[in-house]
Amino acid sequence: MKKLITLLIVISPLFLCSCFDSREVDDMTYVMAVGAEKGAYTFQLALPLNISGDKEADAEQEDEAFSLYSVKIFEDNFFLAADKLNSKISKTADLSHVCLFVFSKELAEDGLKGFEEILSGIEIRPSAYLTVAENPEDYLKSLSSPFELNPAKYFEMLYSNENQSFYESLTAHDFLSRETVLIPVSSTTGGSSGGGIVLKDKKPVMELSPHEVFFCRILKGNLPLSHFEASGKTFEIESSAPSKISFDGKKAHIILHLSGNEKTKYRVTYGCKKLLEKTAEENVDLLDLKSRMRKGFLTVEAFNSFDFDLRRVSFSLEAKYD
Amino acid sequence: MNYKLKKREGIYLMINLLCAKLFLLTPYLFKRAAVTNVALIVAAVFLPHLIVFLLKGREAERKKPGKIILFVIWAFLTLYLSFTVYEYAGVIKEMFFNRTPIWFTVLLLAAGMIYTSSRGLKAIGRLCGFFVPLVYFVCALLVTLAFKNFNPRLLLPFFGSTKALLKHGAVLFAVPGECIIYYLLPPVLENKKDFKSIFYTSFSISFVLFLIVCLSFVMAGFDSSRIMPMFMLIRLIKIKSFFQRIDLVFLLLFSISVFLYLSAILYFACKCFCDSTGAGNEKFLTLPVGTIAAFPLLDRLFSNFVPFILILMIIFPLFIRRHKT
């Protein structure tokens, strides 16, 4: 009897918190993507019945077969918008499964500093992908795939770095922990189109075309196996190791690690150098070169007071093929 | 008959007492003071305790602290208990139980620690022997899995920020304040000769664990005091698309570690009180002392004095004096 009472006392706290924070799975709906624009937020919710696959019987209604549903809330504040969402739908919205955060181009052009608090909170996971679209609402509505029932997997496949060459994914963790980031731009026709906006201290400083993003990924060493045109022929190219960067005074020497045909060498190094020169002109530290100089300083104060001007740096590139 | 701790249990008990803070906001406090190379501060914070042990360790093996010192240690441990209960309850509330009033979470924690410590050293020692290796092995494994998201360059410049160190550094010297319990340990050990090896093993393991978690927190580039740092690190783990969102599973393990920490501190607080005042069995004191620790005013009243009291805990072992048993 004594043992039974002890066991009950030990186990009971596990259930007690539900007095206040109890949430039935039935009462919840999960937000999979959020679109942010000036004065409004679009929440894309998962439709559990469609995810479970019960809709197969209605295969004729293709539009309804997809597992996401969008609701737009007109509100400046994200948290207030999330609260208002609950009054628009019959369930309680949960943000813990957000996989994608889409910013409108207008918002991105004004800077995304205000979103740091939202993205660093407990609600949004560090692995959530960030992107920019002309109109987030239209963009989210355009997302549909007959291949995936599970929206989380759909977003993972669509936005991860592994499947794309002209698009570099950005997660909430990267956005928060880096000074200069490249936020990808997506087209309203659906999926990810490539290209991106470079943000410095969360403010936009320059735009990159899809081809420039391609070279940026070569420089960073995270380009998956892709195709590249050189000398009128198409070759395979891959870069899976980070570039080796060393400084000789004001000259940065960069060694690219590539695999594929060496005939691409000239065009690749030319494209990468052009990109570096373009970013250097605007003093944009896309490769985080300043942080490579940290070891030369003893204190944070000395490092912060160091005026690192990329415009004074020249680049020499070399490509090494496996 | 009073239960005596085996060497293994003693080591795990002390590891848990020193490292349970990793599951609170402590790694954030280290990062706030160091900004970059947190290793220097971790070493600087642990070093005084090592020096004091080298000076007084041998004496502590043979003698017990005086009654006044024991009474002050009781006051310190009770205060410390109060803070830890509130810190953990606050973190848990902020992260998961938003709608649950904080008194309820505190009540749950207090009930658990009072019950466990009232069961005595045997229960605490055996639970530590079982859970502590598991918890800290998992902790080290999780940090390793999150490693690909780390940026080692964030550890430089080597000496960090002098301004931040001056502003936030002093309070950190009290972080391994639980080292005071080493000096209460010899009488409860099965073999007093194990005392030294318990100190060196648990102290060095705790130091390494502290170092790993604090360095990881800095390298991950986080800068938030709202979420438990260890929890933030786990949220980074992502192995393909099928193995993610595993953080909540491990939160239970971390809670066990904090529970054991609270129970052990409460037990030793009661023991100190009994030894200093000659009041009977420490088991009967767990309820009143635990209630005092969970009393909310204590947190509000003494918050400004705590850093100074904690720094004093490094000095107390120096006052260990001969005591006839």
Short mmCIF file of all heavy atoms in Angstrom, two decimals, chain A residues 98-155:
data_model
loop_
_atom_site.label_atom_id
_atom_site.label_comp_id
_atom_site.label_asym_id
_atom_site.label_seq_id
_atom_site.Cartn_x
_atom_site.Cartn_y
_atom_site.Cartn_z
N VAL A 98 5.91 25.88 -37.52
CA VAL A 98 6.14 26.78 -38.67
C VAL A 98 7.44 26.36 -39.39
O VAL A 98 8.50 26.27 -38.79
CB VAL A 98 6.24 28.26 -38.21
CG1 VAL A 98 6.70 29.15 -39.34
CG2 VAL A 98 4.90 28.73 -37.69
N CYS A 99 7.32 26.09 -40.68
CA CYS A 99 8.48 25.65 -41.47
C CYS A 99 9.00 26.78 -42.36
O CYS A 99 10.13 26.72 -42.84
CB CYS A 99 8.11 24.48 -42.37
SG CYS A 99 7.53 23.07 -41.51
N LEU A 100 8.13 27.73 -42.66
CA LEU A 100 8.50 28.77 -43.63
C LEU A 100 7.97 30.13 -43.18
O LEU A 100 6.83 30.25 -42.73
CB LEU A 100 7.90 28.40 -45.00
CG LEU A 100 8.12 29.39 -46.13
CD1 LEU A 100 9.57 29.39 -46.57
CD2 LEU A 100 7.23 29.03 -47.33
N PHE A 101 8.81 31.13 -43.33
CA PHE A 101 8.42 32.51 -43.00
C PHE A 101 8.69 33.34 -44.26
O PHE A 101 9.84 33.48 -44.67
CB PHE A 101 9.27 33.01 -41.83
CG PHE A 101 8.52 33.87 -40.87
CD1 PHE A 101 8.05 33.37 -39.67
CD2 PHE A 101 8.26 35.20 -41.17
CE1 PHE A 101 7.34 34.17 -38.77
CE2 PHE A 101 7.56 36.00 -40.29
CZ PHE A 101 7.10 35.48 -39.08
N VAL A 102 7.64 33.85 -44.87
CA VAL A 102 7.79 34.62 -46.12
C VAL A 102 7.61 36.11 -45.83
O VAL A 102 6.59 36.51 -45.27
CB VAL A 102 6.74 34.19 -47.17
CG1 VAL A 102 7.06 34.80 -48.53
CG2 VAL A 102 6.66 32.69 -47.28
N PHE A 103 8.60 36.90 -46.21
CA PHE A 103 8.50 38.34 -46.03
C PHE A 103 8.15 38.98 -47.37
O PHE A 103 8.65 38.53 -48.41
CB PHE A 103 9.83 38.93 -45.55
CG PHE A 103 10.29 38.36 -44.24
CD1 PHE A 103 11.26 37.37 -44.20
CD2 PHE A 103 9.75 38.80 -43.04
CE1 PHE A 103 11.68 36.83 -42.99
CE2 PHE A 103 10.17 38.28 -41.84
CZ PHE A 103 11.13 37.29 -41.82
N SER A 104 7.36 40.04 -47.32
CA SER A 104 7.09 40.74 -48.58
C SER A 104 8.34 41.53 -48.97
O SER A 104 9.13 41.92 -48.09
CB SER A 104 5.89 41.68 -48.42
OG SER A 104 6.25 42.78 -47.62
N LYS A 105 8.49 41.77 -50.27
CA LYS A 105 9.67 42.50 -50.74
C LYS A 105 9.71 43.91 -50.14
O LYS A 105 10.78 44.43 -49.81
CB LYS A 105 9.63 42.58 -52.27
CG LYS A 105 11.02 42.60 -52.85
CD LYS A 105 11.03 42.21 -54.29
CE LYS A 105 12.48 42.13 -54.75
NZ LYS A 105 12.60 41.77 -56.13
N GLU A 106 8.52 44.47 -49.95
CA GLU A 106 8.41 45.82 -49.37
C GLU A 106 8.98 45.84 -47.94
O GLU A 106 9.72 46.75 -47.57
CB GLU A 106 6.92 46.20 -49.35
CG GLU A 106 6.67 47.68 -49.22
CD GLU A 106 5.19 47.97 -49.11
OE1 GLU A 106 4.36 47.05 -49.16
OE2 GLU A 106 4.87 49.17 -48.93
N LEU A 107 8.64 44.79 -47.18
CA LEU A 107 9.16 44.69 -45.81
C LEU A 107 10.66 44.51 -45.81
O LEU A 107 11.39 45.15 -45.04
CB LEU A 107 8.54 43.49 -45.10
CG LEU A 107 7.31 43.69 -44.22
CD1 LEU A 107 6.90 42.38 -43.59
CD2 LEU A 107 7.57 44.71 -43.13
N ALA A 108 11.14 43.63 -46.71
CA ALA A 108 12.58 43.33 -46.77
C ALA A 108 13.36 44.58 -47.13
O ALA A 108 14.47 44.79 -46.64
CB ALA A 108 12.83 42.22 -47.78
N GLU A 109 12.77 45.40 -48.00
CA GLU A 109 13.47 46.63 -48.41
C GLU A 109 13.58 47.63 -47.25
O GLU A 109 14.49 48.45 -47.21
CB GLU A 109 12.76 47.27 -49.61
CG GLU A 109 13.17 46.58 -50.91
CD GLU A 109 12.23 46.85 -52.06
OE1 GLU A 109 11.29 47.66 -51.90
OE2 GLU A 109 12.42 46.23 -53.13
N ASP A 110 12.65 47.55 -46.31
CA ASP A 110 12.71 48.43 -45.13
C ASP A 110 13.61 47.86 -44.04
O ASP A 110 13.89 48.55 -43.04
CB ASP A 110 11.31 48.63 -44.54
CG ASP A 110 10.46 49.53 -45.43
OD1 ASP A 110 11.03 50.10 -46.39
OD2 ASP A 110 9.26 49.64 -45.17
N GLY A 111 14.02 46.63 -44.19
CA GLY A 111 14.85 45.99 -43.16
C GLY A 111 14.02 45.07 -42.28
O GLY A 111 12.84 45.35 -42.03
N LEU A 112 14.65 43.99 -41.80
CA LEU A 112 13.90 42.99 -41.05
C LEU A 112 14.31 42.94 -39.58
O LEU A 112 14.15 41.93 -38.91
CB LEU A 112 14.10 41.60 -41.70
CG LEU A 112 13.64 41.50 -43.15
CD1 LEU A 112 13.99 40.14 -43.73
CD2 LEU A 112 12.13 41.71 -43.26
N LYS A 113 14.86 44.03 -39.10
CA LYS A 113 15.32 44.09 -37.70
C LYS A 113 14.18 43.74 -36.72
O LYS A 113 14.39 43.05 -35.73
CB LYS A 113 15.85 45.50 -37.43
CG LYS A 113 16.58 45.65 -36.12
CD LYS A 113 18.04 45.33 -36.26
CE LYS A 113 18.76 45.44 -34.93
NZ LYS A 113 20.02 44.71 -34.91
N GLY A 114 12.99 44.22 -37.03
CA GLY A 114 11.85 44.02 -36.15
C GLY A 114 11.44 42.57 -35.99
O GLY A 114 10.67 42.24 -35.08
N PHE A 115 11.93 41.69 -36.87
CA PHE A 115 11.52 40.29 -36.81
C PHE A 115 12.44 39.43 -35.95
O PHE A 115 12.19 38.26 -35.77
CB PHE A 115 11.41 39.71 -38.22
CG PHE A 115 10.21 40.23 -38.95
CD1 PHE A 115 10.29 41.39 -39.69
CD2 PHE A 115 8.99 39.59 -38.85
CE1 PHE A 115 9.18 41.90 -40.34
CE2 PHE A 115 7.88 40.08 -39.48
CZ PHE A 115 7.97 41.25 -40.24
N GLU A 116 13.51 40.04 -35.44
CA GLU A 116 14.45 39.29 -34.61
C GLU A 116 13.75 38.70 -33.38
O GLU A 116 13.99 37.56 -33.01
CB GLU A 116 15.60 40.20 -34.17
CG GLU A 116 16.71 40.27 -35.20
CD GLU A 116 17.86 41.15 -34.73
OE1 GLU A 116 17.61 42.20 -34.11
OE2 GLU A 116 18.99 40.78 -34.99
N GLU A 117 12.91 39.51 -32.76
CA GLU A 117 12.25 39.06 -31.54
C GLU A 117 11.32 37.88 -31.83
O GLU A 117 11.28 36.91 -31.08
CB GLU A 117 11.45 40.23 -30.94
CG GLU A 117 10.99 39.93 -29.52
CD GLU A 117 9.90 40.87 -29.05
OE1 GLU A 117 9.75 41.94 -29.64
OE2 GLU A 117 9.22 40.51 -28.07
N ILE A 118 10.61 37.96 -32.96
CA ILE A 118 9.68 36.88 -33.31
C ILE A 118 10.46 35.59 -33.59
O ILE A 118 10.12 34.52 -33.10
CB ILE A 118 8.86 37.28 -34.57
CG1 ILE A 118 8.04 38.53 -34.28
CG2 ILE A 118 7.98 36.14 -35.04
CD1 ILE A 118 7.50 39.22 -35.52
N LEU A 119 11.53 35.72 -34.36
CA LEU A 119 12.26 34.53 -34.79
C LEU A 119 13.12 33.93 -33.68
O LEU A 119 13.51 32.77 -33.75
CB LEU A 119 13.13 34.85 -36.01
CG LEU A 119 12.35 35.24 -37.26
CD1 LEU A 119 13.29 35.73 -38.35
CD2 LEU A 119 11.52 34.08 -37.79
N SER A 120 13.43 34.73 -32.65
CA SER A 120 14.25 34.17 -31.56
C SER A 120 13.39 33.61 -30.44
O SER A 120 13.90 33.08 -29.46
CB SER A 120 15.19 35.23 -31.00
OG SER A 120 14.43 36.28 -30.45
N GLY A 121 12.08 33.70 -30.57
CA GLY A 121 11.18 33.20 -29.53
C GLY A 121 11.07 31.69 -29.54
O GLY A 121 11.58 31.01 -30.43
N ILE A 122 10.36 31.19 -28.55
CA ILE A 122 10.19 29.74 -28.42
C ILE A 122 9.25 29.20 -29.50
O ILE A 122 9.30 28.04 -29.88
CB ILE A 122 9.68 29.39 -27.00
CG1 ILE A 122 9.60 27.89 -26.74
CG2 ILE A 122 8.31 29.99 -26.72
CD1 ILE A 122 10.85 27.31 -26.23
N GLU A 123 8.38 30.09 -30.03
CA GLU A 123 7.35 29.62 -30.97
C GLU A 123 7.97 29.16 -32.30
O GLU A 123 7.59 28.13 -32.85
CB GLU A 123 6.32 30.73 -31.25
CG GLU A 123 5.49 31.14 -30.06
CD GLU A 123 6.17 32.23 -29.24
OE1 GLU A 123 7.28 32.66 -29.64
OE2 GLU A 123 5.61 32.64 -28.22
N ILE A 124 8.89 29.96 -32.83
CA ILE A 124 9.45 29.64 -34.15
C ILE A 124 10.74 28.85 -33.97
O ILE A 124 11.64 29.27 -33.25
CB ILE A 124 9.74 30.93 -34.96
CG1 ILE A 124 8.53 31.87 -34.96
CG2 ILE A 124 10.20 30.60 -36.38
CD1 ILE A 124 7.34 31.41 -35.73
N ARG A 125 10.84 27.73 -34.64
CA ARG A 125 12.02 26.88 -34.49
C ARG A 125 13.20 27.45 -35.28
O ARG A 125 13.00 28.11 -36.32
CB ARG A 125 11.72 25.46 -34.99
CG ARG A 125 10.65 24.78 -34.18
CD ARG A 125 10.50 23.37 -34.60
NE ARG A 125 11.67 22.60 -34.24
CZ ARG A 125 11.87 22.06 -33.05
NH1 ARG A 125 10.97 22.20 -32.11
NH2 ARG A 125 12.96 21.37 -32.80
N PRO A 126 14.44 27.19 -34.82
CA PRO A 126 15.61 27.75 -35.54
C PRO A 126 15.76 27.18 -36.95
O PRO A 126 16.44 27.76 -37.77
CB PRO A 126 16.80 27.35 -34.66
CG PRO A 126 16.30 26.42 -33.66
CD PRO A 126 14.83 26.50 -33.59
N SER A 127 15.11 26.05 -37.22
CA SER A 127 15.26 25.45 -38.55
C SER A 127 14.23 25.97 -39.56
O SER A 127 14.23 25.54 -40.72
CB SER A 127 15.15 23.92 -38.44
OG SER A 127 13.91 23.59 -37.85
N ALA A 128 13.36 26.90 -39.14
CA ALA A 128 12.35 27.44 -40.07
C ALA A 128 13.05 28.20 -41.20
O ALA A 128 14.00 28.95 -40.95
CB ALA A 128 11.41 28.36 -39.32
N TYR A 129 12.59 28.01 -42.43
CA TYR A 129 13.20 28.68 -43.58
C TYR A 129 12.62 30.08 -43.77
O TYR A 129 11.44 30.30 -43.50
CB TYR A 129 12.95 27.86 -44.86
CG TYR A 129 13.69 26.56 -44.87
CD1 TYR A 129 13.02 25.34 -44.78
CD2 TYR A 129 15.08 26.54 -44.95
CE1 TYR A 129 13.71 24.15 -44.77
CE2 TYR A 129 15.77 25.34 -44.94
CZ TYR A 129 15.09 24.14 -44.85
OH TYR A 129 15.77 22.97 -44.83
N LEU A 130 13.45 30.99 -44.23
CA LEU A 130 13.00 32.36 -44.49
C LEU A 130 13.15 32.64 -45.99
O LEU A 130 14.12 32.19 -46.60
CB LEU A 130 13.84 33.38 -43.72
CG LEU A 130 14.08 33.15 -42.22
CD1 LEU A 130 14.85 34.33 -41.64
CD2 LEU A 130 12.78 32.99 -41.47
N THR A 131 12.22 33.36 -46.52
CA THR A 131 12.33 33.75 -47.92
C THR A 131 11.58 35.08 -48.14
O THR A 131 10.85 35.53 -47.27
CB THR A 131 11.79 32.64 -48.86
OG1 THR A 131 12.08 32.99 -50.20
CG2 THR A 131 10.30 32.42 -48.71
N VAL A 132 11.82 35.67 -49.31
CA VAL A 132 11.15 36.93 -49.66
C VAL A 132 10.34 36.70 -50.93
O VAL A 132 10.81 36.03 -51.85
CB VAL A 132 12.21 38.05 -49.90
CG1 VAL A 132 11.56 39.27 -50.52
CG2 VAL A 132 12.90 38.43 -48.60
N ALA A 133 9.12 37.21 -50.95
CA ALA A 133 8.29 37.11 -52.16
C ALA A 133 7.60 38.45 -52.37
O ALA A 133 7.40 39.21 -51.41
CB ALA A 133 7.26 36.00 -52.00
N GLU A 134 7.25 38.72 -53.62
CA GLU A 134 6.59 40.00 -53.94
C GLU A 134 5.32 40.17 -53.09
O GLU A 134 5.12 41.18 -52.46
CB GLU A 134 6.25 40.02 -55.44
CG GLU A 134 6.00 41.39 -56.03
CD GLU A 134 7.24 42.29 -56.05
OE1 GLU A 134 8.31 41.87 -56.56
OE2 GLU A 134 7.11 43.40 -55.53
N ASN A 135 4.48 39.13 -53.13
CA ASN A 135 3.25 39.16 -52.35
C ASN A 135 3.15 37.84 -51.57
O ASN A 135 2.83 36.81 -52.14
CB ASN A 135 2.06 39.32 -53.30
CG ASN A 135 0.76 39.44 -52.55
OD1 ASN A 135 0.60 38.95 -51.44
ND2 ASN A 135 -0.19 40.13 -53.16
N PRO A 136 3.42 37.86 -50.28
CA PRO A 136 3.45 36.61 -49.51
C PRO A 136 2.15 35.82 -49.57
O PRO A 136 2.17 34.59 -49.63
CB PRO A 136 3.73 37.07 -48.08
CG PRO A 136 4.37 38.39 -48.22
CD PRO A 136 3.80 39.01 -49.44
N GLU A 137 1.02 36.53 -49.58
CA GLU A 137 -0.27 35.82 -49.59
C GLU A 137 -0.42 35.01 -50.87
O GLU A 137 -0.73 33.81 -50.84
CB GLU A 137 -1.42 36.83 -49.44
CG GLU A 137 -2.75 36.13 -49.23
CD GLU A 137 -3.93 37.07 -49.33
OE1 GLU A 137 -3.72 38.26 -49.64
OE2 GLU A 137 -5.05 36.61 -49.11
N ASP A 138 -0.16 35.67 -52.00
CA ASP A 138 -0.26 34.97 -53.29
C ASP A 138 0.76 33.84 -53.36
O ASP A 138 0.47 32.76 -53.89
CB ASP A 138 -0.01 35.94 -54.46
CG ASP A 138 -1.15 36.94 -54.59
OD1 ASP A 138 -2.19 36.72 -53.95
OD2 ASP A 138 -0.97 37.95 -55.31
N TYR A 139 1.93 34.13 -52.84
CA TYR A 139 2.99 33.12 -52.89
C TYR A 139 2.58 31.87 -52.10
O TYR A 139 2.70 30.74 -52.60
CB TYR A 139 4.29 33.69 -52.34
CG TYR A 139 5.40 32.67 -52.30
CD1 TYR A 139 5.98 32.21 -53.49
CD2 TYR A 139 5.85 32.14 -51.11
CE1 TYR A 139 6.98 31.25 -53.46
CE2 TYR A 139 6.85 31.19 -51.07
CZ TYR A 139 7.42 30.75 -52.26
OH TYR A 139 8.39 29.79 -52.23
N LEU A 140 2.07 32.09 -50.89
CA LEU A 140 1.69 30.94 -50.07
C LEU A 140 0.54 30.16 -50.72
O LEU A 140 0.51 28.94 -50.66
CB LEU A 140 1.29 31.40 -48.66
CG LEU A 140 2.44 31.86 -47.77
CD1 LEU A 140 1.93 32.38 -46.44
CD2 LEU A 140 3.43 30.73 -47.51
N LYS A 141 -0.40 30.91 -51.34
CA LYS A 141 -1.52 30.23 -51.99
C LYS A 141 -1.06 29.43 -53.20
O LYS A 141 -1.69 28.45 -53.59
CB LYS A 141 -2.59 31.25 -52.39
CG LYS A 141 -3.44 31.67 -51.20
CD LYS A 141 -4.51 32.64 -51.60
CE LYS A 141 -5.35 33.02 -50.39
NZ LYS A 141 -6.24 34.15 -50.67
N SER A 142 0.04 29.89 -53.82
CA SER A 142 0.53 29.19 -55.02
C SER A 142 1.26 27.89 -54.67
O SER A 142 1.53 27.08 -55.54
CB SER A 142 1.48 30.11 -55.80
OG SER A 142 2.71 30.20 -55.10
N LEU A 143 1.58 27.72 -53.40
CA LEU A 143 2.33 26.52 -53.01
C LEU A 143 1.39 25.32 -53.01
O LEU A 143 0.45 25.25 -52.23
CB LEU A 143 2.93 26.68 -51.62
CG LEU A 143 4.03 27.73 -51.46
CD1 LEU A 143 4.45 27.82 -50.01
CD2 LEU A 143 5.23 27.39 -52.31
N SER A 144 1.62 24.41 -53.88
CA SER A 144 0.83 23.18 -53.87
C SER A 144 1.63 22.10 -54.57
O SER A 144 2.41 22.38 -55.47
CB SER A 144 -0.50 23.37 -54.57
OG SER A 144 -0.28 23.65 -55.93
N SER A 145 1.45 20.91 -54.09
CA SER A 145 2.18 19.81 -54.72
C SER A 145 1.37 18.53 -54.64
O SER A 145 0.92 18.16 -53.56
CB SER A 145 3.52 19.61 -54.02
OG SER A 145 4.08 18.39 -54.44
N PRO A 146 1.17 17.89 -55.76
CA PRO A 146 0.46 16.61 -55.70
C PRO A 146 1.37 15.49 -55.19
O PRO A 146 0.92 14.39 -54.92
CB PRO A 146 0.06 16.37 -57.16
CG PRO A 146 1.05 17.13 -57.96
CD PRO A 146 1.51 18.28 -57.13
N PHE A 147 2.67 15.81 -55.03
CA PHE A 147 3.62 14.75 -54.63
C PHE A 147 3.68 14.52 -53.13
O PHE A 147 4.09 13.47 -52.68
CB PHE A 147 5.04 15.10 -55.12
CG PHE A 147 5.12 15.34 -56.59
CD1 PHE A 147 5.39 16.60 -57.08
CD2 PHE A 147 4.90 14.31 -57.48
CE1 PHE A 147 5.45 16.84 -58.44
CE2 PHE A 147 4.96 14.54 -58.84
CZ PHE A 147 5.23 15.81 -59.33
N GLU A 148 3.33 15.55 -52.37
CA GLU A 148 3.50 15.44 -50.92
C GLU A 148 2.20 15.69 -50.19
O GLU A 148 1.54 16.70 -50.41
CB GLU A 148 4.52 16.49 -50.43
CG GLU A 148 5.95 16.14 -50.66
CD GLU A 148 6.40 14.88 -49.95
OE1 GLU A 148 5.72 14.42 -49.01
OE2 GLU A 148 7.43 14.35 -50.36
N LEU A 149 1.84 14.78 -49.30
CA LEU A 149 0.69 15.02 -48.44
C LEU A 149 1.13 15.75 -47.18
O LEU A 149 0.42 16.57 -46.63
CB LEU A 149 0.04 13.69 -48.04
CG LEU A 149 -0.88 13.06 -49.08
CD1 LEU A 149 -1.34 11.71 -48.62
CD2 LEU A 149 -2.07 13.96 -49.37
N ASN A 150 2.34 15.43 -46.75
CA ASN A 150 2.85 16.03 -45.52
C ASN A 150 3.46 17.40 -45.80
O ASN A 150 4.50 17.50 -46.45
CB ASN A 150 3.89 15.08 -44.93
CG ASN A 150 4.49 15.59 -43.64
OD1 ASN A 150 4.21 16.72 -43.23
ND2 ASN A 150 5.30 14.78 -43.02
N PRO A 151 2.82 18.48 -45.33
CA PRO A 151 3.33 19.82 -45.66
C PRO A 151 4.73 20.08 -45.11
O PRO A 151 5.52 20.78 -45.73
CB PRO A 151 2.32 20.77 -45.04
CG PRO A 151 1.40 19.97 -44.22
CD PRO A 151 1.59 18.54 -44.53
N ALA A 152 5.06 19.50 -43.93
CA ALA A 152 6.38 19.73 -43.34
C ALA A 152 7.46 19.18 -44.27
O ALA A 152 8.49 19.82 -44.52
CB ALA A 152 6.47 19.06 -41.98
N LYS A 153 7.20 18.00 -44.82
CA LYS A 153 8.18 17.40 -45.72
C LYS A 153 8.24 18.18 -47.04
O LYS A 153 9.30 18.34 -47.64
CB LYS A 153 7.83 15.93 -45.99
CG LYS A 153 8.99 15.19 -46.61
CD LYS A 153 8.76 13.73 -46.72
CE LYS A 153 9.98 13.12 -47.41
NZ LYS A 153 9.71 11.82 -47.96
N TYR A 154 7.07 18.68 -47.44
CA TYR A 154 7.01 19.46 -48.67
C TYR A 154 7.91 20.69 -48.58
O TYR A 154 8.72 20.97 -49.46
CB TYR A 154 5.55 19.86 -48.92
CG TYR A 154 5.34 20.88 -50.02
CD1 TYR A 154 5.60 20.55 -51.34
CD2 TYR A 154 4.89 22.16 -49.73
CE1 TYR A 154 5.42 21.48 -52.35
CE2 TYR A 154 4.70 23.10 -50.73
CZ TYR A 154 4.96 22.76 -52.04
OH TYR A 154 4.78 23.67 -53.03
N PHE A 155 7.80 21.42 -47.47
CA PHE A 155 8.63 22.62 -47.28
C PHE A 155 10.10 22.25 -47.15
O PHE A 155 10.97 22.94 -47.67
CB PHE A 155 8.18 23.40 -46.03
CG PHE A 155 6.88 24.12 -46.22
CD1 PHE A 155 5.80 23.89 -45.40
CD2 PHE A 155 6.73 25.05 -47.25
CE1 PHE A 155 4.61 24.55 -45.58
CE2 PHE A 155 5.54 25.72 -47.44
CZ PHE A 155 4.46 25.46 -46.60
#
